[in-house]
Amino acid sequence: MESLLVIFAAAFIILAYAGRRLWRKVQSLEEAVSSRDIEIDALRRQRISAEHVNNETRALYSALSEVAFDLALVLDEAGVILRHNQAAARLFGGRSAVGKKFCDILDSADLANLVDYTLNEHDSLEEQFVIDDVYYRARTQIVTIAEGRRFVAVAMQDVTNLVNLNRARRDLVANISHELRTPITRIRLIIEGLFLDADRPKRKASIQSLKEIAMETDALLWLSQELLDLSMIESGEAIMRLVPTSLTQVVDEAIERLIPQAEMKDLTIVSHVPRSFAVLCDADQLKRVLGNLLHNAIKWSPLKQAITITAVDLEDEISVSILDSGPGVPEDLRERVFERFYQADVSRSGDDGTGLGLAICKHIIEAHGGRIWAEGNSRGEGGHFLFTVLKADANFEIEPQLAAMKESALPATDVANA
């Protein structure tokens, strides 16, 4: 019996020891599992944070791409469009072109060659080309990611306005060179003729020569004034001092300045502007508008014709009309003639003029709160230009600057020319 108790006691001790060791192992395993859970939870949080940063980065890059003025698209090696921004959508008719080959929906051999060169030479390239009469400057970049996959990023900028501006300025330089060379050459020849030792000119011939010198000098003065006006308008330095003014006085002074030019072609300038009309204007600037329009009318009118100026009351505005007997402006060009540097018909004008006069008129009239346009001559052939200007007692709401000036009625009030 005692031996049996000893055996049971020994067995109990052994089991207790083994159970204790097993419990310790279980605790150690639980601690390890808990530690792994903590690590896994930390990794999970890091993954969620990385995904959040990645999504945020993608959203920022997408926003930058969509808000950009430049066109941007990404192509794979087969030329399939993988992504493009909103600016590029206009190339594809305003629709998404993702998943389509760009050469199937965009007829541009230049762009195709640019992409092929980038893929073959592994180099970026910049070129300028035309698509549907629109000038683009494009730049490509090869992008290589994991497993050797390659893509081509294309950025395109619409440079049509820059191309047109460069062309216009080039034409301006050519026109100015011609305008300066012709009168200077004529003045030099006339002066040389006046001082020939072999044959002293008679007084009548001398007077005629001096008149021709005066005419050519006026042409040079007119050119320099147009260039100065354009410079002032583009720099925003032109100032309008709008005050109540007699329209008849402004018209008469503008006519008086151009009588010598009109007499050269035996032209008559007739004004039918009522003396009761008063307008809100900068008299010097309005005389410049009338001067430019009359100058054009004189240039285009046949000999011994009449140029007529009329004015009509339009409630809060006065409409002024200048009518001549020249060839007039074709209907399809009545908007373009007011563009800077544009000349309606160089062949008929003998390349005379810089194409600035009507553009300057448009700036000045719009700064007065009015409008200017060309019409067909209902009486037959002839140029017909009209513009409006506010009446001195206009009672409707206009631009804030003009309204404040009108209410104050101070002669020195300035309105900056737009």
Side-chain angles (χ1 to χ4, degrees), residues 324-360:
D324 63 59
S325 302
V329 181
E331 185 175 356
D332 58 331
L333 299 179
R334 288 175 191 164
E335 292 292 333
R336 293 208 62 193
V337 293
F338 293 98
E339 297 177 8
R340 290 181 305 166
F341 316 119
Y342 183 78
Q343 292 176 271
D345 192 340
V346 174
S347 62
R348 285 187 295 173
S349 66
D351 198 23
D352 180 21
T354 59
L356 299 177
L358 291 178
I360 292 170

PDB file of all heavy atoms in Angstrom, residues 324-360:
ATOM      1  N   ASP A 324     -17.644 106.981 -97.871  1.00  0.00           N
ATOM      2  CA  ASP A 324     -16.821 107.438 -98.997  1.00  0.00           C
ATOM      3  C   ASP A 324     -17.245 106.703-100.266  1.00  0.00           C
ATOM      4  O   ASP A 324     -18.155 105.872-100.240  1.00  0.00           O
ATOM      5  CB  ASP A 324     -15.329 107.222 -98.704  1.00  0.00           C
ATOM      6  CG  ASP A 324     -14.955 105.761 -98.529  1.00  0.00           C
ATOM      7  OD1 ASP A 324     -15.168 104.977 -99.472  1.00  0.00           O
ATOM      8  OD2 ASP A 324     -14.437 105.391 -97.449  1.00  0.00           O
ATOM      9  N   SER A 325     -16.593 107.019-101.369  1.00  0.00           N
ATOM     10  CA  SER A 325     -16.931 106.428-102.668  1.00  0.00           C
ATOM     11  C   SER A 325     -15.901 105.406-103.119  1.00  0.00           C
ATOM     12  O   SER A 325     -15.800 105.119-104.321  1.00  0.00           O
ATOM     13  CB  SER A 325     -17.062 107.541-103.725  1.00  0.00           C
ATOM     14  OG  SER A 325     -18.039 108.482-103.351  1.00  0.00           O
ATOM     15  N   GLY A 326     -15.134 104.887-102.200  1.00  0.00           N
ATOM     16  CA  GLY A 326     -14.108 103.902-102.540  1.00  0.00           C
ATOM     17  C   GLY A 326     -14.690 102.513-102.765  1.00  0.00           C
ATOM     18  O   GLY A 326     -15.905 102.342-102.891  1.00  0.00           O
ATOM     19  N   PRO A 327     -13.829 101.484-102.787  1.00  0.00           N
ATOM     20  CA  PRO A 327     -14.300 100.124-103.069  1.00  0.00           C
ATOM     21  C   PRO A 327     -15.069  99.488-101.912  1.00  0.00           C
ATOM     22  O   PRO A 327     -15.780  98.509-102.108  1.00  0.00           O
ATOM     23  CB  PRO A 327     -12.994  99.359-103.344  1.00  0.00           C
ATOM     24  CG  PRO A 327     -11.946 100.129-102.623  1.00  0.00           C
ATOM     25  CD  PRO A 327     -12.364 101.566-102.711  1.00  0.00           C
ATOM     26  N   GLY A 328     -14.948 100.031-100.697  1.00  0.00           N
ATOM     27  CA  GLY A 328     -15.650  99.456 -99.552  1.00  0.00           C
ATOM     28  C   GLY A 328     -14.953  98.214 -99.022  1.00  0.00           C
ATOM     29  O   GLY A 328     -13.952  97.745 -99.552  1.00  0.00           O
ATOM     30  N   VAL A 329     -15.507  97.654 -97.951  1.00  0.00           N
ATOM     31  CA  VAL A 329     -14.942  96.465 -97.308  1.00  0.00           C
ATOM     32  C   VAL A 329     -15.824  95.266 -97.623  1.00  0.00           C
ATOM     33  O   VAL A 329     -17.031  95.312 -97.370  1.00  0.00           O
ATOM     34  CB  VAL A 329     -14.850  96.652 -95.775  1.00  0.00           C
ATOM     35  CG1 VAL A 329     -14.229  95.419 -95.125  1.00  0.00           C
ATOM     36  CG2 VAL A 329     -14.038  97.890 -95.429  1.00  0.00           C
ATOM     37  N   PRO A 330     -15.275  94.181 -98.182  1.00  0.00           N
ATOM     38  CA  PRO A 330     -16.082  92.986 -98.444  1.00  0.00           C
ATOM     39  C   PRO A 330     -16.726  92.466 -97.174  1.00  0.00           C
ATOM     40  O   PRO A 330     -16.173  92.604 -96.075  1.00  0.00           O
ATOM     41  CB  PRO A 330     -15.058  91.986 -98.998  1.00  0.00           C
ATOM     42  CG  PRO A 330     -13.944  92.829 -99.527  1.00  0.00           C
ATOM     43  CD  PRO A 330     -13.888  94.030 -98.629  1.00  0.00           C
ATOM     44  N   GLU A 331     -17.887  91.854 -97.324  1.00  0.00           N
ATOM     45  CA  GLU A 331     -18.655  91.412 -96.156  1.00  0.00           C
ATOM     46  C   GLU A 331     -17.880  90.433 -95.293  1.00  0.00           C
ATOM     47  O   GLU A 331     -17.968  90.482 -94.057  1.00  0.00           O
ATOM     48  CB  GLU A 331     -19.958  90.771 -96.635  1.00  0.00           C
ATOM     49  CG  GLU A 331     -20.892  90.384 -95.493  1.00  0.00           C
ATOM     50  CD  GLU A 331     -22.225  89.867 -95.990  1.00  0.00           C
ATOM     51  OE1 GLU A 331     -22.440  89.884 -97.218  1.00  0.00           O
ATOM     52  OE2 GLU A 331     -23.043  89.446 -95.152  1.00  0.00           O
ATOM     53  N   ASP A 332     -17.095  89.534 -95.907  1.00  0.00           N
ATOM     54  CA  ASP A 332     -16.378  88.526 -95.136  1.00  0.00           C
ATOM     55  C   ASP A 332     -15.152  89.081 -94.410  1.00  0.00           C
ATOM     56  O   ASP A 332     -14.517  88.370 -93.636  1.00  0.00           O
ATOM     57  CB  ASP A 332     -15.949  87.370 -96.052  1.00  0.00           C
ATOM     58  CG  ASP A 332     -15.063  87.843 -97.195  1.00  0.00           C
ATOM     59  OD1 ASP A 332     -15.218  89.005 -97.608  1.00  0.00           O
ATOM     60  OD2 ASP A 332     -14.216  87.055 -97.660  1.00  0.00           O
ATOM     61  N   LEU A 333     -14.828  90.358 -94.644  1.00  0.00           N
ATOM     62  CA  LEU A 333     -13.660  90.957 -93.995  1.00  0.00           C
ATOM     63  C   LEU A 333     -14.025  92.060 -93.015  1.00  0.00           C
ATOM     64  O   LEU A 333     -13.121  92.708 -92.467  1.00  0.00           O
ATOM     65  CB  LEU A 333     -12.697  91.514 -95.056  1.00  0.00           C
ATOM     66  CG  LEU A 333     -12.116  90.513 -96.064  1.00  0.00           C
ATOM     67  CD1 LEU A 333     -11.208  91.235 -97.035  1.00  0.00           C
ATOM     68  CD2 LEU A 333     -11.355  89.399 -95.357  1.00  0.00           C
ATOM     69  N   ARG A 334     -15.303  92.290 -92.788  1.00  0.00           N
ATOM     70  CA  ARG A 334     -15.719  93.439 -91.960  1.00  0.00           C
ATOM     71  C   ARG A 334     -15.352  93.287 -90.488  1.00  0.00           C
ATOM     72  O   ARG A 334     -15.346  94.272 -89.756  1.00  0.00           O
ATOM     73  CB  ARG A 334     -17.215  93.669 -92.126  1.00  0.00           C
ATOM     74  CG  ARG A 334     -17.552  94.239 -93.501  1.00  0.00           C
ATOM     75  CD  ARG A 334     -19.027  94.373 -93.744  1.00  0.00           C
ATOM     76  NE  ARG A 334     -19.273  94.677 -95.163  1.00  0.00           N
ATOM     77  CZ  ARG A 334     -20.445  94.567 -95.760  1.00  0.00           C
ATOM     78  NH1 ARG A 334     -21.504  94.164 -95.070  1.00  0.00           N
ATOM     79  NH2 ARG A 334     -20.572  94.852 -97.036  1.00  0.00           N
ATOM     80  N   GLU A 335     -15.074  92.063 -90.040  1.00  0.00           N
ATOM     81  CA  GLU A 335     -14.583  91.878 -88.681  1.00  0.00           C
ATOM     82  C   GLU A 335     -13.055  91.921 -88.646  1.00  0.00           C
ATOM     83  O   GLU A 335     -12.453  92.490 -87.752  1.00  0.00           O
ATOM     84  CB  GLU A 335     -15.073  90.535 -88.123  1.00  0.00           C
ATOM     85  CG  GLU A 335     -16.576  90.478 -87.879  1.00  0.00           C
ATOM     86  CD  GLU A 335     -17.009  91.394 -86.753  1.00  0.00           C
ATOM     87  OE1 GLU A 335     -16.185  91.659 -85.850  1.00  0.00           O
ATOM     88  OE2 GLU A 335     -18.162  91.851 -86.780  1.00  0.00           O
ATOM     89  N   ARG A 336     -12.431  91.340 -89.658  1.00  0.00           N
ATOM     90  CA  ARG A 336     -10.975  91.204 -89.660  1.00  0.00           C
ATOM     91  C   ARG A 336     -10.257  92.538 -89.830  1.00  0.00           C
ATOM     92  O   ARG A 336      -9.106  92.677 -89.403  1.00  0.00           O
ATOM     93  CB  ARG A 336     -10.537  90.249 -90.767  1.00  0.00           C
ATOM     94  CG  ARG A 336     -10.966  88.803 -90.562  1.00  0.00           C
ATOM     95  CD  ARG A 336      -9.990  87.869 -91.237  1.00  0.00           C
ATOM     96  NE  ARG A 336      -8.668  87.987 -90.657  1.00  0.00           N
ATOM     97  CZ  ARG A 336      -7.566  87.464 -91.211  1.00  0.00           C
ATOM     98  NH1 ARG A 336      -7.655  86.814 -92.350  1.00  0.00           N
ATOM     99  NH2 ARG A 336      -6.386  87.614 -90.645  1.00  0.00           N
ATOM    100  N   VAL A 337     -10.906  93.514 -90.491  1.00  0.00           N
ATOM    101  CA  VAL A 337     -10.198  94.778 -90.737  1.00  0.00           C
ATOM    102  C   VAL A 337      -9.847  95.500 -89.441  1.00  0.00           C
ATOM    103  O   VAL A 337      -8.995  96.396 -89.451  1.00  0.00           O
ATOM    104  CB  VAL A 337     -11.028  95.721 -91.644  1.00  0.00           C
ATOM    105  CG1 VAL A 337     -11.146  95.148 -93.038  1.00  0.00           C
ATOM    106  CG2 VAL A 337     -12.404  95.999 -91.043  1.00  0.00           C
ATOM    107  N   PHE A 338     -10.457  95.104 -88.322  1.00  0.00           N
ATOM    108  CA  PHE A 338     -10.163  95.748 -87.045  1.00  0.00           C
ATOM    109  C   PHE A 338      -9.071  95.004 -86.277  1.00  0.00           C
ATOM    110  O   PHE A 338      -8.733  95.375 -85.156  1.00  0.00           O
ATOM    111  CB  PHE A 338     -11.425  95.847 -86.190  1.00  0.00           C
ATOM    112  CG  PHE A 338     -12.457  96.772 -86.766  1.00  0.00           C
ATOM    113  CD1 PHE A 338     -13.528  96.275 -87.501  1.00  0.00           C
ATOM    114  CD2 PHE A 338     -12.352  98.145 -86.605  1.00  0.00           C
ATOM    115  CE1 PHE A 338     -14.483  97.127 -88.039  1.00  0.00           C
ATOM    116  CE2 PHE A 338     -13.291  99.000 -87.140  1.00  0.00           C
ATOM    117  CZ  PHE A 338     -14.360  98.489 -87.867  1.00  0.00           C
ATOM    118  N   GLU A 339      -8.521  93.937 -86.860  1.00  0.00           N
ATOM    119  CA  GLU A 339      -7.416  93.232 -86.230  1.00  0.00           C
ATOM    120  C   GLU A 339      -6.119  94.006 -86.446  1.00  0.00           C
ATOM    121  O   GLU A 339      -5.929  94.643 -87.476  1.00  0.00           O
ATOM    122  CB  GLU A 339      -7.270  91.823 -86.823  1.00  0.00           C
ATOM    123  CG  GLU A 339      -8.465  90.926 -86.573  1.00  0.00           C
ATOM    124  CD  GLU A 339      -8.307  89.573 -87.241  1.00  0.00           C
ATOM    125  OE1 GLU A 339      -7.198  89.299 -87.764  1.00  0.00           O
ATOM    126  OE2 GLU A 339      -9.268  88.793 -87.254  1.00  0.00           O
ATOM    127  N   ARG A 340      -5.222  93.883 -85.480  1.00  0.00           N
ATOM    128  CA  ARG A 340      -3.924  94.546 -85.603  1.00  0.00           C
ATOM    129  C   ARG A 340      -3.144  93.985 -86.782  1.00  0.00           C
ATOM    130  O   ARG A 340      -3.134  92.776 -87.012  1.00  0.00           O
ATOM    131  CB  ARG A 340      -3.096  94.348 -84.334  1.00  0.00           C
ATOM    132  CG  ARG A 340      -3.613  95.102 -83.139  1.00  0.00           C
ATOM    133  CD  ARG A 340      -2.724  94.867 -81.955  1.00  0.00           C
ATOM    134  NE  ARG A 340      -2.575  93.437 -81.688  1.00  0.00           N
ATOM    135  CZ  ARG A 340      -1.658  92.927 -80.891  1.00  0.00           C
ATOM    136  NH1 ARG A 340      -0.785  93.713 -80.313  1.00  0.00           N
ATOM    137  NH2 ARG A 340      -1.595  91.635 -80.678  1.00  0.00           N
ATOM    138  N   PHE A 341      -2.515  94.876 -87.535  1.00  0.00           N
ATOM    139  CA  PHE A 341      -1.626  94.565 -88.654  1.00  0.00           C
ATOM    140  C   PHE A 341      -2.355  94.033 -89.884  1.00  0.00           C
ATOM    141  O   PHE A 341      -1.719  93.701 -90.873  1.00  0.00           O
ATOM    142  CB  PHE A 341      -0.528  93.547 -88.258  1.00  0.00           C
ATOM    143  CG  PHE A 341       0.110  93.826 -86.932  1.00  0.00           C
ATOM    144  CD1 PHE A 341       0.030  92.906 -85.899  1.00  0.00           C
ATOM    145  CD2 PHE A 341       0.781  95.011 -86.712  1.00  0.00           C
ATOM    146  CE1 PHE A 341       0.617  93.164 -84.677  1.00  0.00           C
ATOM    147  CE2 PHE A 341       1.372  95.268 -85.495  1.00  0.00           C
ATOM    148  CZ  PHE A 341       1.287  94.346 -84.478  1.00  0.00           C
ATOM    149  N   TYR A 342      -3.689  93.911 -89.813  1.00  0.00           N
ATOM    150  CA  TYR A 342      -4.394  93.326 -90.959  1.00  0.00           C
ATOM    151  C   TYR A 342      -4.684  94.404 -91.998  1.00  0.00           C
ATOM    152  O   TYR A 342      -5.139  95.495 -91.664  1.00  0.00           O
ATOM    153  CB  TYR A 342      -5.711  92.679 -90.523  1.00  0.00           C
ATOM    154  CG  TYR A 342      -6.426  92.002 -91.672  1.00  0.00           C
ATOM    155  CD1 TYR A 342      -6.015  90.761 -92.129  1.00  0.00           C
ATOM    156  CD2 TYR A 342      -7.486  92.634 -92.324  1.00  0.00           C
ATOM    157  CE1 TYR A 342      -6.645  90.153 -93.193  1.00  0.00           C
ATOM    158  CE2 TYR A 342      -8.131  92.030 -93.388  1.00  0.00           C
ATOM    159  CZ  TYR A 342      -7.700  90.786 -93.813  1.00  0.00           C
ATOM    160  OH  TYR A 342      -8.323  90.186 -94.879  1.00  0.00           O
ATOM    161  N   GLN A 343      -4.446  94.068 -93.275  1.00  0.00           N
ATOM    162  CA  GLN A 343      -4.756  94.957 -94.383  1.00  0.00           C
ATOM    163  C   GLN A 343      -5.683  94.216 -95.341  1.00  0.00           C
ATOM    164  O   GLN A 343      -5.394  93.098 -95.763  1.00  0.00           O
ATOM    165  CB  GLN A 343      -3.482  95.379 -95.116  1.00  0.00           C
ATOM    166  CG  GLN A 343      -2.588  96.278 -94.279  1.00  0.00           C
ATOM    167  CD  GLN A 343      -1.288  96.598 -94.985  1.00  0.00           C
ATOM    168  OE1 GLN A 343      -0.319  95.872 -94.861  1.00  0.00           O
ATOM    169  NE2 GLN A 343      -1.274  97.685 -95.726  1.00  0.00           N
ATOM    170  N   ALA A 344      -6.806  94.852 -95.673  1.00  0.00           N
ATOM    171  CA  ALA A 344      -7.841  94.163 -96.446  1.00  0.00           C
ATOM    172  C   ALA A 344      -7.372  93.795 -97.837  1.00  0.00           C
ATOM    173  O   ALA A 344      -7.606  92.696 -98.315  1.00  0.00           O
ATOM    174  CB  ALA A 344      -9.091  95.047 -96.535  1.00  0.00           C
ATOM    175  N   ASP A 345      -6.709  94.684 -98.535  1.00  0.00           N
ATOM    176  CA  ASP A 345      -6.313  94.409 -99.915  1.00  0.00           C
ATOM    177  C   ASP A 345      -5.021  95.144-100.220  1.00  0.00           C
ATOM    178  O   ASP A 345      -5.036  96.297-100.634  1.00  0.00           O
ATOM    179  CB  ASP A 345      -7.422  94.829-100.880  1.00  0.00           C
ATOM    180  CG  ASP A 345      -7.181  94.303-102.292  1.00  0.00           C
ATOM    181  OD1 ASP A 345      -6.014  93.965-102.594  1.00  0.00           O
ATOM    182  OD2 ASP A 345      -8.144  94.231-103.059  1.00  0.00           O
ATOM    183  N   VAL A 346      -3.901  94.464 -99.999  1.00  0.00           N
ATOM    184  CA  VAL A 346      -2.597  95.096-100.193  1.00  0.00           C
ATOM    185  C   VAL A 346      -2.372  95.442-101.659  1.00  0.00           C
ATOM    186  O   VAL A 346      -1.770  96.459-101.995  1.00  0.00           O
ATOM    187  CB  VAL A 346      -1.477  94.158 -99.677  1.00  0.00           C
ATOM    188  CG1 VAL A 346      -0.112  94.733 -99.990  1.00  0.00           C
ATOM    189  CG2 VAL A 346      -1.634  93.927 -98.184  1.00  0.00           C
ATOM    190  N   SER A 347      -2.882  94.595-102.570  1.00  0.00           N
ATOM    191  CA  SER A 347      -2.641  94.828-104.001  1.00  0.00           C
ATOM    192  C   SER A 347      -3.266  96.134-104.465  1.00  0.00           C
ATOM    193  O   SER A 347      -2.683  96.875-105.248  1.00  0.00           O
ATOM    194  CB  SER A 347      -3.199  93.655-104.811  1.00  0.00           C
ATOM    195  OG  SER A 347      -4.601  93.541-104.633  1.00  0.00           O
ATOM    196  N   ARG A 348      -4.472  96.428-103.966  1.00  0.00           N
ATOM    197  CA  ARG A 348      -5.136  97.659-104.412  1.00  0.00           C
ATOM    198  C   ARG A 348      -4.608  98.881-103.685  1.00  0.00           C
ATOM    199  O   ARG A 348      -4.646  99.996-104.192  1.00  0.00           O
ATOM    200  CB  ARG A 348      -6.655  97.548-104.211  1.00  0.00           C
ATOM    201  CG  ARG A 348      -7.330  96.649-105.230  1.00  0.00           C
ATOM    202  CD  ARG A 348      -8.835  96.731-105.086  1.00  0.00           C
ATOM    203  NE  ARG A 348      -9.286  96.200-103.812  1.00  0.00           N
ATOM    204  CZ  ARG A 348     -10.556  96.281-103.400  1.00  0.00           C
ATOM    205  NH1 ARG A 348     -11.462  96.884-104.143  1.00  0.00           N
ATOM    206  NH2 ARG A 348     -10.911  95.762-102.255  1.00  0.00           N
ATOM    207  N   SER A 349      -4.133  98.702-102.468  1.00  0.00           N
ATOM    208  CA  SER A 349      -3.642  99.856-101.711  1.00  0.00           C
ATOM    209  C   SER A 349      -2.192 100.162-102.008  1.00  0.00           C
ATOM    210  O   SER A 349      -1.638 101.132-101.513  1.00  0.00           O
ATOM    211  CB  SER A 349      -3.794  99.599-100.206  1.00  0.00           C
ATOM    212  OG  SER A 349      -2.953  98.547 -99.797  1.00  0.00           O
ATOM    213  N   GLY A 350      -1.537  99.292-102.807  1.00  0.00           N
ATOM    214  CA  GLY A 350      -0.129  99.520-103.097  1.00  0.00           C
ATOM    215  C   GLY A 350       0.751  99.300-101.893  1.00  0.00           C
ATOM    216  O   GLY A 350       1.798  99.900-101.750  1.00  0.00           O
ATOM    217  N   ASP A 351       0.311  98.387-100.990  1.00  0.00           N
ATOM    218  CA  ASP A 351       1.073  98.100 -99.763  1.00  0.00           C
ATOM    219  C   ASP A 351       1.203  99.346 -98.904  1.00  0.00           C
ATOM    220  O   ASP A 351       2.199  99.575 -98.235  1.00  0.00           O
ATOM    221  CB  ASP A 351       2.459  97.544-100.115  1.00  0.00           C
ATOM    222  CG  ASP A 351       3.098  96.835 -98.927  1.00  0.00           C
ATOM    223  OD1 ASP A 351       2.337  96.415 -98.041  1.00  0.00           O
ATOM    224  OD2 ASP A 351       4.326  96.721 -98.891  1.00  0.00           O
ATOM    225  N   ASP A 352       0.182 100.179 -98.939  1.00  0.00           N
ATOM    226  CA  ASP A 352       0.195 101.434 -98.200  1.00  0.00           C
ATOM    227  C   ASP A 352      -0.472 101.237 -96.853  1.00  0.00           C
ATOM    228  O   ASP A 352      -1.623 100.835 -96.781  1.00  0.00           O
ATOM    229  CB  ASP A 352      -0.551 102.507 -99.013  1.00  0.00           C
ATOM    230  CG  ASP A 352      -0.560 103.844 -98.287  1.00  0.00           C
ATOM    231  OD1 ASP A 352       0.303 104.038 -97.418  1.00  0.00           O
ATOM    232  OD2 ASP A 352      -1.428 104.671 -98.613  1.00  0.00           O
ATOM    233  N   GLY A 353       0.234 101.522 -95.767  1.00  0.00           N
ATOM    234  CA  GLY A 353      -0.338 101.434 -94.433  1.00  0.00           C
ATOM    235  C   GLY A 353       0.226 100.265 -93.652  1.00  0.00           C
ATOM    236  O   GLY A 353       0.798  99.327 -94.201  1.00  0.00           O
ATOM    237  N   THR A 354       0.057 100.322 -92.335  1.00  0.00           N
ATOM    238  CA  THR A 354       0.588  99.294 -91.445  1.00  0.00           C
ATOM    239  C   THR A 354      -0.481  98.364 -90.926  1.00  0.00           C
ATOM    240  O   THR A 354      -0.173  97.370 -90.275  1.00  0.00           O
ATOM    241  CB  THR A 354       1.274  99.964 -90.237  1.00  0.00           C
ATOM    242  OG1 THR A 354       0.311 100.771 -89.550  1.00  0.00           O
ATOM    243  CG2 THR A 354       2.436 100.814 -90.691  1.00  0.00           C
ATOM    244  N   GLY A 355      -1.751  98.670 -91.164  1.00  0.00           N
ATOM    245  CA  GLY A 355      -2.818  97.843 -90.627  1.00  0.00           C
ATOM    246  C   GLY A 355      -3.080  98.101 -89.154  1.00  0.00           C
ATOM    247  O   GLY A 355      -3.609  97.241 -88.451  1.00  0.00           O
ATOM    248  N   LEU A 356      -2.702  99.276 -88.658  1.00  0.00           N
ATOM    249  CA  LEU A 356      -2.881  99.599 -87.239  1.00  0.00           C
ATOM    250  C   LEU A 356      -4.038 100.556 -86.992  1.00  0.00           C
ATOM    251  O   LEU A 356      -4.600 100.572 -85.896  1.00  0.00           O
ATOM    252  CB  LEU A 356      -1.600 100.225 -86.681  1.00  0.00           C
ATOM    253  CG  LEU A 356      -0.336  99.373 -86.731  1.00  0.00           C
ATOM    254  CD1 LEU A 356       0.842 100.178 -86.204  1.00  0.00           C
ATOM    255  CD2 LEU A 356      -0.513  98.108 -85.943  1.00  0.00           C
ATOM    256  N   GLY A 357      -4.395 101.371 -87.993  1.00  0.00           N
ATOM    257  CA  GLY A 357      -5.354 102.455 -87.768  1.00  0.00           C
ATOM    258  C   GLY A 357      -6.687 101.997 -87.232  1.00  0.00           C
ATOM    259  O   GLY A 357      -7.187 102.528 -86.233  1.00  0.00           O
ATOM    260  N   LEU A 358      -7.309 100.996 -87.872  1.00  0.00           N
ATOM    261  CA  LEU A 358      -8.630 100.554 -87.429  1.00  0.00           C
ATOM    262  C   LEU A 358      -8.562  99.829 -86.091  1.00  0.00           C
ATOM    263  O   LEU A 358      -9.505  99.905 -85.290  1.00  0.00           O
ATOM    264  CB  LEU A 358      -9.256  99.654 -88.494  1.00  0.00           C
ATOM    265  CG  LEU A 358      -9.647 100.355 -89.803  1.00  0.00           C
ATOM    266  CD1 LEU A 358     -10.212  99.356 -90.797  1.00  0.00           C
ATOM    267  CD2 LEU A 358     -10.673 101.462 -89.530  1.00  0.00           C
ATOM    268  N   ALA A 359      -7.463  99.106 -85.846  1.00  0.00           N
ATOM    269  CA  ALA A 359      -7.307  98.450 -84.540  1.00  0.00           C
ATOM    270  C   ALA A 359      -7.235  99.489 -83.425  1.00  0.00           C
ATOM    271  O   ALA A 359      -7.823  99.320 -82.348  1.00  0.00           O
ATOM    272  CB  ALA A 359      -6.053  97.583 -84.540  1.00  0.00           C
ATOM    273  N   ILE A 360      -6.537 100.594 -83.683  1.00  0.00           N
ATOM    274  CA  ILE A 360      -6.457 101.672 -82.695  1.00  0.00           C
ATOM    275  C   ILE A 360      -7.833 102.294 -82.489  1.00  0.00           C
ATOM    276  O   ILE A 360      -8.242 102.588 -81.351  1.00  0.00           O
ATOM    277  CB  ILE A 360      -5.425 102.722 -83.153  1.00  0.00           C
ATOM    278  CG1 ILE A 360      -4.015 102.119 -83.105  1.00  0.00           C
ATOM    279  CG2 ILE A 360      -5.494 103.983 -82.302  1.00  0.00           C
ATOM    280  CD1 ILE A 360      -2.953 102.978 -83.747  1.00  0.00           C
TER     281      ILE A 360
END
